[in-house]
Amino acid sequence: MIYSKQSNRFYIGETQNVQKRVLMHNQHAFKNAFTTSAKDWQLNPAIGMKTVESEQPYVIGWADFCSVMIEVKVVRGDFLKDCKKPLRKCSEKGVGEFRYYCCPQGLIKESELPENWGLLYLNDENKIEIIKVSEIQKSNLKAERNILISLIRRQG
């Protein structure tokens, strides 16, 4: 995740070489990317997570009665690849009793969602809109506990 103070925006992506990728965004190597709106992109520190679990969600949270997982997608190909994961086809293997995809407006259609998933859009005003509310589903509680323990361990 990188952040620009100049444009007050975040960008989430994947790469093997973070420093090179940030430099490429600042040099506007990606001509049609919205990151060309600024030249001050910097790595935004996030909590790194090391866990034995196959699922490592972008966002996971817990309340007294449920867990919520959000997968953030900014590239359509990443969404299509994610949908093919075995744990997307069998809800008991995934984490989050309520699951959402969050993406730029229009990147994912409601009709493309896995069963019981919700959809959140980031609109042009950088506000999250609920397009479809998730329905509750069974989750892998052991995996959720392992993720939570990993996060606690990283903070200690």
Side-chain angles (χ1 to χ4, degrees):
M1 181 184 304
I2 57 176
Y3 174 74
S4 165
K5 194 176 224 180
Q6 182 182 355
S7 65
N8 192 30
R9 294 187 82 177
F10 289 93
Y11 173 80
I12 298 171
E14 293 183 47
T15 184
Q16 297 296 318
N17 187 331
V18 176
Q19 289 79 14
K20 181 179 177 184
R21 189 63 170 254
V22 172
L23 181 64
M24 291 174 73
H25 281 289
N26 283 322
Q27 293 175 339
H28 299 163
F30 307 101
K31 300 297 178 201
N32 295 324
F34 81 85
T35 56
T36 58
S37 64
K39 290 187 176 183
D40 68 334
W41 294 99
Q42 294 182 358
L43 187 63
N44 187 54
I47 297 170
M49 182 170 45
K50 296 278 186 204
T51 177
V52 297
E53 299 308 325
S54 61
E55 184 159 31
Q56 296 188 13
Y58 282 98
V59 179
I60 188 163
W62 293 270
D64 58 345
F65 63 92
C66 72
S67 58
V68 179
M69 188 272 288
I70 302 173
E71 274 292 323
V72 178
K73 300 298 173 195
V74 294
V75 178
R76 183 152 174 79
D78 188 24
F79 164 71
L80 296 173
K81 183 178 170 185
D82 190 76
C83 285
K84 293 178 182 174
K85 290 179 179 177
L87 51 91
R88 297 291 177 253
K89 297 177 185 352
C90 180
S91 70
E92 294 85 11
K93 293 181 180 180
V95 298
E97 292 166 297
F98 293 92
R99 299 176 194 167
Y100 288 89
Y101 279 108
C102 180
C103 65
Q105 198 165 348
L107 184 78
I108 301 169
K109 295 180 181 83
E110 194 175 330
S111 61
E112 299 174 301
L113 295 172
E115 188 176 358
N116 299 324
W117 278 62
L119 181 60
L120 308 171
Y121 279 169
L122 178 66
N123 67 22
D124 293 334
E125 298 170 359
N126 278 338
K127 300 211 187 290
I128 301 288
E129 296 178 38
I130 301 171
I131 304 304
K132 180 180 184 259
V133 175
S134 171
E135 296 177 36
I136 195 164
Q137 51 193 307
K138 288 186 178 183
S139 68
N140 184 339
L141 296 177
K142 181 179 180 242
E144 287 187 18
R145 276 190 230 102
N146 285 340
I147 289 170
L148 183 57
I149 289 167
S150 174
L151 291 170
I152 292 168
R153 195 177 311 125
R154 297 286 296 178
Q155 291 300 304

